[in-house]
Amino acid sequence: MKRHSRWFLCAVLLTAALLLWGCWGGGTKKEQTAEEFLAQMETALSSLDANKIADLFAFPILLDPVLPGQDELKFERQHFVRMIQGALTAAKEGGAVFEVKFVEPKYQEKSDSAVVETQVYMKVKIDEDTAHNVFVAFVNDLIDVFMELYEEVLKEILKEFFDEIPDDFTEIAEQLWDALMAGEPVEWPVEEEITEEVFFELTKVNGKWKLSSEVDVELPLTALFRR
């Protein structure tokens, strides 16, 4: 019994030593570089995975007020994921392709902030049914989150478009889709390659770079509906 107890104690001490080494010694986390963050961003956006995309942001995300006298809008991680999850799922299920590559980025780095100026190359491929499903899912989820957080604000906005605010958000999404498609004709499936100059601010959180909470970066959803 003593021998087994001694071996058990040694195992416990060895495990504790390894854990401590991981926390304080050889396992010290390396600060993420801006280049590493951009590689993470390319993978996350191209994956059409809501949680991977959410990992790119410093939360809460702050947006300018949409009505006079209103406070800025604030979205936490769970709200952001809910707003894009359904749309990105519909995109993946429909076989949509969204590829992102940053070309010749330039960095202005400080200890806890950075500005990135770069060309972004985007490749988009989507058919009409998938685009419709993506759009309806996004509008539905967006209104759902807004109704939870900013019901009075949203009602004021919707009153500009509807005599009576519908209970079914899908109906609103379908009407918006019809209005969108009533403009310049779209040749389906959409297959585009887009290159644009962009810049965005980063902030460092626990050694990792994140998109600033006041970011204005184009996400996969908006690129899917380029006209």
Side-chain angles (χ1 to χ4, degrees):
M1 292 296 293
K2 287 184 179 180
R3 182 175 300 173
H4 289 301
S5 298
R6 190 177 298 117
W7 279 112
F8 177 75
L9 179 60
C10 287
V12 170
L13 292 175
L14 178 59
T15 301
L18 291 173
L19 289 173
L20 290 174
W21 177 251
C23 293
W24 294 335
T28 300
K29 293 181 180 179
K30 188 184 73 165
E31 294 279 312
Q32 186 184 39
T33 66
E35 291 91 338
E36 289 170 338
F37 175 78
L38 253 62
Q40 176 192 349
M41 194 172 173
E42 289 177 345
T43 301
L45 293 177
S46 300
S47 74
L48 298 177
D49 185 296
N51 282 292
K52 288 181 180 178
I53 293 172
D55 286 341
L56 301 174
F57 288 85
F59 289 95
I61 293 176
L62 306 176
L63 301 179
D64 290 336
V66 293
L67 293 175
Q70 178 197 346
D71 294 335
E72 63 188 0
L73 304 181
K74 181 168 71 172
F75 297 94
E76 300 292 349
R77 179 191 171 94
Q78 67 269 24
H79 304 133
F80 178 80
V81 170
R82 279 173 54 195
M83 283 191 287
I84 66 172
Q85 180 81 68
L88 297 181
T89 298
K92 287 192 287 188
E93 289 177 350
V97 174
F98 183 80
E99 296 177 4
V100 178
K101 202 76 178 174
F102 295 108
V103 182
E104 299 181 354
K106 299 175 183 177
Y107 309 96
Q108 298 178 26
E109 286 190 58
K110 298 180 181 178
S111 59
D112 59 354
S113 65
V115 175
V116 180
E117 189 173 353
T118 181
Q119 283 192 331
V120 57
Y121 162 82
M122 294 178 287
K123 180 179 179 181
V124 182
K125 181 179 179 180
I126 191 169
D127 61 41
E128 184 174 7
D129 287 342
T130 303
H132 168 269
N133 294 339
V134 168
F135 183 85
V136 171
F138 176 67
V139 172
N140 215 327
D141 292 339
L142 179 67
I143 296 176
D144 186 51
V145 172
F146 259 87
M147 286 296 286
E148 177 184 320
L149 296 176
Y150 303 105
E151 182 176 1
E152 294 305 316
V153 174
L154 183 59
K155 284 182 177 179
E156 287 297 317
I157 296 172
L158 293 179
K159 283 178 183 177
E160 299 292 325
F161 302 95
F162 301 97
D163 295 330
E164 183 177 348
I165 299 173
D167 294 328
D168 186 357
F169 300 154
T170 300
E171 181 180 341
I172 296 176
E174 293 285 4
Q175 291 181 36
L176 291 173
W177 172 259
D178 290 341
L180 183 66
M181 292 298 105
E184 183 181 343
V186 178
E187 292 186 11
W188 300 102
V190 171
E191 295 187 43
E192 292 191 26
E193 295 185 23
I194 306 161
T195 302
E196 286 189 358
E197 295 281 347
V198 298
F199 74 92
F200 44 85
E201 296 181 7
L202 305 180
T203 185
K204 187 161 281 188
V205 180
N206 296 326
K208 299 287 187 180
W209 287 112
K210 301 287 183 181
L211 292 167
S212 169
S213 61
E214 298 180 2
V215 71
D216 182 19
V217 175
E218 183 165 312
L219 291 174
L221 191 66
T222 56
L224 293 176
F225 297 102
R226 286 299 189 99
R227 298 301 299 272

